[in-house]
């Protein structure tokens, strides 16, 4: 018997109604190649395979691999790989004709670095559906000017359109997590919508702007940037970082990285 491991963020879904609801919400069809992050004991894998899709699962806990291979031995569309999703190169599974759809009830202990890793790999991905701690979903979907608006919000919304789908209570899992959960959909934006001249510079600017969120932009940026440029692009240095929209950050980053003649 496999015992749930805390260090791998293992909270297995056992509520059949919720499992079906998540499966339906993904909109996966037989034409898709789905990559499932953290299949665990196969609760979601089962509903994904029932759609007829090809499913490749990436699981870090090697003790779960024989369980999954036994459970789905008669499913030719199923492959499980032992691996760490944080380091995984998703381009190895996608083709230009069949970009991948990602699905996962993610390990909450690594959700933020995992999302940043997936944003870097977005060219190979057409759609993502994830279960996350509700607080993280709130941050992904946050509007400017709210408490949940953060670096994670700005970089996710720059690369993707996020949609909160529904909440999932702790009772749907075993063992039960101490937090509420939610399902979020992230759809990568087409390259033509990405207007930053230098995404590394954008990421640096957003990180620096949010370094102390209770301070003004002036205070956060003064050591690293030419503050005169804020006024040039019409941004008041006396405001707090969470007031700036994603477009404001892109506009400011482009202005700051433009070569001066
Ligand atoms: N999908 C299953 C379910 O819904 O019942 C399990 C979800 S559980 C919250 C998270 C799963 O991710 C576990 O199976 C865990 O072993 C796996 N996992 C943890 N860290 C991982 C990583 N870095 N890469 C891939 N899988 C990981």
């Amino acid at each position: 018997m496999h015992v749930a491991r805390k260090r791998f963020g293992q909270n297995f879904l056992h509520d059949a109604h919720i499992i079906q609801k998540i499966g339906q919400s993904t909109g996966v069809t037989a034409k898709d190649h789905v990559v499932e992050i953290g299949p665990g004991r196969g609760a979601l894998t089962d509903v994904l395979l029932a759609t007829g899709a090809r499913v490749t699962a990436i699981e870090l806990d090697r003790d779960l691999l024989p369980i999954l291979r036994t459970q789905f031995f008669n499913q030719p569309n199923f492959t499980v790989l032992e691996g760490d999703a944080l380091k995984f190169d998703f381009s190895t599974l996608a083709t230009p004709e069949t970009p991948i759809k990602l699905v996962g009830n993610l390990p909450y202990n690594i959700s933020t670095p995992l999302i940043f890793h997936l944003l870097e790999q977005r060219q190979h991905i057409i759609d993502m559906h994830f279960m996350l701690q509700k607080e993280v979903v709130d941050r992904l979907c946050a509007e400017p000017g709210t408490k949940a608006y953060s670096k994670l919000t700005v970089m996710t919304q720059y690369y993707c359109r996020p949609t909160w789908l529904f909440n999932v209570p702790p009772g749907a899992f075993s063992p039960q997590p101490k937090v509420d959960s939610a399902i979020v959909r992230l759809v990568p934006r087409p390259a033509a919508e990405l207007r930053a001249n230098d995404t590394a510079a954008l990421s640096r600017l957003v990180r620096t702007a949010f370094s102390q969120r209770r301070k003004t932009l002036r205070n956060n940026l003064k050591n690293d940037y030419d503050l005169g440029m804020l006024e040039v692009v019409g941004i008041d240095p006396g405001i707090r970082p969470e007031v700036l929209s994603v477009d404001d950050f892109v506009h400011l980053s482009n202005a700051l990285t433009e070569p001066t003649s």
Side-chain angles (χ1 to χ4, degrees):
M1 175 65 188
H2 176 273
V3 177
R5 293 187 169 124
K6 213 172 166 179
R7 74 173 189 282
F8 290 138
Q10 291 178 347
N11 298 94
F12 298 111
L13 277 167
H14 70 90
D15 181 319
H17 169 72
I18 298 277
I19 293 166
Q20 282 300 331
K21 190 170 167 183
I22 297 171
Q24 278 165 11
S25 76
T26 64
V28 163
T29 71
K31 294 197 191 102
D32 292 319
H33 181 189
V34 182
V35 178
E36 187 187 1
I37 298 177
R41 296 174 185 153
L44 285 176
T45 322
D46 197 34
V47 289
L48 293 170
L49 283 168
T51 65
R54 180 175 158 209
V55 177
T56 304
I58 303 164
E59 176 54 62
L60 184 62
D61 181 351
R62 68 168 56 156
D63 291 348
L64 288 168
L65 271 70
I67 296 173
L68 289 159
R69 289 194 176 119
T70 305
Q71 188 178 346
F72 301 117
F73 79 97
N74 61 352
Q75 295 275 3
N77 285 351
F78 177 66
T79 312
V80 60
L81 307 173
E82 182 186 342
D84 181 349
L86 279 173
K87 298 188 187 136
F88 196 83
D89 177 359
F90 290 86
S91 70
T92 58
L93 298 176
T95 64
E97 303 75 46
T98 317
I100 51 180
K101 290 190 171 179
L102 294 189
V103 173
N105 170 13
L106 299 184
Y108 295 173
N109 51 347
I110 58 160
S111 53
T112 304
L114 185 54
I115 290 166
F116 280 117
H117 177 62
L118 298 175
L119 294 178
E120 281 169 19
Q121 306 253 323
R122 74 205 167 269
Q123 310 89 293
H124 315 291
I125 303 167
I126 39 168
D127 203 354
M128 302 180 247
H129 286 80
F130 295 132
M131 172 103 74
L132 290 161
Q133 186 175 339
K134 185 177 170 299
E135 199 191 309
V136 176
V137 172
D138 289 344
R139 286 170 64 201
L140 297 178
C141 302
E143 300 280 342
T146 62
K147 218 174 132 203
Y149 194 74
S150 60
K151 180 185 178 198
L152 180 67
T153 316
V154 176
M155 295 316 293
T156 303
Q157 294 188 9
Y158 174 68
Y159 287 120
C160 300
R161 275 187 292 112
T163 315
W164 166 89
L165 295 182
F166 53 92
N167 291 346
V168 178
F173 305 81
S174 172
Q176 295 192 16
K178 291 197 178 71
V179 292
D180 286 327
S181 304
I183 301 288
V184 67
R185 180 180 188 193
L186 300 174
V187 180
R189 295 182 189 277
E193 281 183 27
L194 305 179
R195 299 293 167 86
N197 297 340
D198 177 344
T199 47
L202 173 67
S203 172
R204 257 192 323 271
L205 171 67
V206 177
R207 187 178 59 235
T208 314
F210 279 104
S211 50
Q212 298 196 63
R213 56 177 298 138
R214 296 179 61 79
K215 292 203 168 170
T216 60
L217 279 177
R218 181 187 293 110
N219 274 324
N220 284 331
L221 299 182
K222 67 181 178 206
N223 294 335
D224 302 278
Y225 294 96
D226 170 9
L227 289 180
M229 205 45 102
L230 272 80
E231 314 233 16
V232 172
V233 296
I235 293 173
D236 173 0
I239 59 173
R240 286 194 181 162
E242 71 265 22
V243 179
L244 290 188
S245 68
V246 176
D247 281 349
D248 289 334
F249 274 112
V250 172
H251 194 46
L252 179 57
S253 174
N254 286 349
L256 289 165
T257 49
E258 235 163 54
T260 44
S261 51

